[in-house]
Amino acid sequence: MQNITCLASQHNEKQTFNNIQIKDINFDNLLNRDPININTNDCIDLLEDSKIIITGGAGSIGSEIVKQLLNLGINNLHIIDNSENAIYHLRNTLNELYPNHNAKILLHYINDEKKMEVLFKDIQPDYVFHVAAHKHVTVIEHNIYEAININIVGTKIIADLSSKYNVKKFLFVSTDKAVNPANIMGASKRISELYIQHLNTISNTDFIITRFGNVLGSSGSVIPRFIDIINQNKNIPVTHKEITRYFMSIEEAAILVIKAITIGKSGQILLFDMGEPVKIMDLAQKIINLFPEKKILIDIIGLGPGEKLYEELLCKSEEVIHSEEKKIMIFKNKKNSHDFIDKYNELIQHFHNLSYDELKIKFKEIVPEYDTKTYFKG
C-alpha cells in the first residue's frame, strides 16, 4: 500500500470542524465550476397538470427530483421505493418542507410485476421517471442476479407497462458507466438502454434516456465516505493516482432530468454537461483541506472489481445531434443488431438457471463492448 502525505492547506479559513457533515460542503467549490442554471418554464408548462410516477423516488436522486418537481408546483406525484427507511425519511421531509403537498409515497418493489400492473392501471400516469436501480459498482460486481432482477427485469416491467398504459414519455436514468462498460452495473444499465431503444420502435410512448456521472452528496458518492473516514481520524483510500470521474450536484442532476423529459424525444440519449472530469486525488485533497487541524494521508489501494480509470461519454454506435439546450448533449443510437431482442429475451427467461460466469458471457453477447477482463491493480 502506498501512502501519499497531503497536508492541509495553509490558506483555509480559521474555522475548523471536529466533525463535518454533508450540509457543510460547498459542492460548487469542489467542482471548480459555476453551477448549472436551467430555464424550467417549459417544464412547468408540460408537467403541471400531469400524473407522474417516480420509481426509486426515495433515494438520493429520486427524492431530489421529487423536491424539484414540488418546487415547480408539480404536485400529482406517485413515488415508488422499496426502502421503508428511505420512505419514512422522505415522508417526514416532504411534510416539513411542503405541508400542502399531494404526493403519494408507496412501498413497492419494481420487479413485482402484478403489483406494478395494478398501480399503472389505477394511476394511469402521463409521465414516468424511472430512477430505481442498483448503482454501487463494486457491490453489484458480486451480485449479478440482483443487477438483473432490478436493473434489467425491473426496468423492463416499468417500461413495458408505460407502453401498455400509453404513458406520454418514459425517462430512464442511466449512467456514464453504461458506455463501453467494464462492470456488471454498467453492462446491466446498457442492456436496459438497448431494450428501451427497442421499445421506441414498437410503442407510441416516447422513451428517453439520460446519462450522467457521479452525483456529489448522493448515497453512492465518494464524498459521504470521505467525510465519514476523516471523522474517524483515518486515512482516505483512493484507488489510483490518475483515476478521474465526472461529477455534478444532486440539485443539478435532478433539474436536468426534469428538463430532459421536457425536451427529449423518442429514442434520444441525453447527456448532461458535467464539465471536465475531476481527479479523485484532487477531490480528496480538497476534503482534507476542510480539516486544517489534522494531518491526513491518502492511501492508494488499487482499482476495485469493475472499476475503470476514467469514464467515457459516447458509445461507438452513437452519433451526436443538435441540442438547443447548451448544457444537454443529445445522442441518437444506431439500430440494435437484428438478433438483440432474441438474446435479451433469452437472458430474461433463463438467468436464474445460469452461473455467474455464464451470465457474464450472456452480457457480452448482448453488449459486445462490455469488457469482461479482470480489473487491474494501480
Side-chain angles (χ1 to χ4, degrees), residues 124-348:
Q124 296 287 325
D126 300 297
Y127 299 94
V128 171
F129 292 87
H130 181 49
V131 187
H134 288 316
K135 303 179 181 74
H136 291 270
V137 168
T138 55
V139 173
I140 296 306
E141 199 66 18
H142 302 291
N143 291 278
I144 193 168
Y145 295 96
E146 288 310 307
I148 297 171
N149 260 324
I150 299 301
N151 292 3
I152 298 178
V153 176
T155 296
K156 182 180 189 300
I157 289 169
I158 301 301
D160 286 350
L161 288 171
S162 295
S163 179
K164 180 177 180 179
Y165 287 92
N166 296 309
V167 167
K168 295 175 183 176
K169 289 187 178 182
F170 170 103
L171 187 135
F172 176 53
V173 175
S174 190
T175 169
D176 57 0
K177 294 172 180 62
V179 179
N180 302 322
N183 49 66
I184 287 168
M185 192 281 280
S188 68
K189 297 289 272 188
R190 179 58 180 160
I191 289 170
S192 284
E193 284 187 357
L194 293 171
Y195 180 69
I196 286 166
Q197 290 173 333
H198 163 75
L199 284 182
N200 272 306
T201 66
I202 60 175
S203 174
N204 292 324
T205 297
D206 282 351
F207 287 91
I208 303 157
I209 296 167
T210 62
R211 287 190 195 135
F212 48 87
N214 297 267
V215 177
L216 289 171
S218 71
S219 60
S221 168
V222 296
I223 302 300
R225 175 162 167 75
F226 283 175
I227 291 173
D228 181 58
I229 289 169
I230 293 177
N231 283 337
Q232 298 177 57
N233 297 310
K234 296 179 180 179
N235 295 343
I236 290 182
V238 174
T239 56
H240 195 284
K241 290 181 184 180
E242 301 301 322
I243 193 168
T244 63
R245 290 292 183 266
Y246 289 97
F247 286 99
M248 65 196 323
S249 71
I250 293 179
E251 293 80 7
E252 289 174 334
I255 203 64
L256 282 166
V257 165
I258 295 168
K259 186 71 172 184
I261 205 170
T262 303
I263 68 173
K265 298 178 181 178
S266 180
Q268 291 180 341
I269 301 173
L270 285 77
L271 178 72
F272 305 149
D273 181 357
M274 297 168 284
E276 295 300 316
V278 176
K279 269 192 170 186
I280 303 301
M281 284 285 292
D282 294 342
L283 193 63
Q285 177 64 74
K286 289 182 178 181
I287 298 296
I288 287 170
N289 288 347
L290 296 173
F291 297 81
E293 76 282 5
K294 297 183 179 183
K295 181 179 179 180
I296 302 295
L297 301 179
I298 294 177
D299 292 338
I300 303 300
I301 61 174
L303 293 174
E307 288 188 310
K308 299 164 71 174
L309 274 181
Y310 58 91
E311 301 296 349
E312 300 165 273
L313 303 179
L314 183 68
C315 292
K316 293 180 180 178
S317 60
E318 294 165 352
E319 57 182 346
V320 181
I321 61 178
H322 176 68
S323 169
E324 295 181 0
E325 175 55 61
K326 65 180 181 179
K327 290 298 181 181
I328 299 179
M329 294 176 285
I330 299 179
F331 301 154
K332 190 76 174 181
N333 196 64
K334 298 174 184 177
K335 290 184 178 180
N336 294 337
S337 62
H338 68 280
D339 59 349
F340 160 77
I341 197 62
D342 293 334
K343 293 176 180 177
Y344 176 88
N345 287 333
E346 184 179 354
L347 172 68
I348 294 290

Side-chain angles (χ1 to χ4, degrees), residues 18-37:
N18 291 323
N19 282 287
I20 194 167
Q21 307 298 326
I22 286 292
K23 62 183 177 61
D24 300 314
I25 302 294
N26 186 317
F27 293 127
D28 294 329
N29 289 344
L30 290 180
L31 295 176
N32 195 30
R33 63 166 170 80
D34 294 330
I36 296 173
N37 294 309

Side-chain angles (χ1 to χ4, degrees), residues 63-74:
S63 62
E64 186 61 33
I65 292 172
V66 169
K67 286 184 277 188
Q68 295 285 355
L69 287 169
L70 290 173
N71 286 340
L72 295 174
I74 300 162

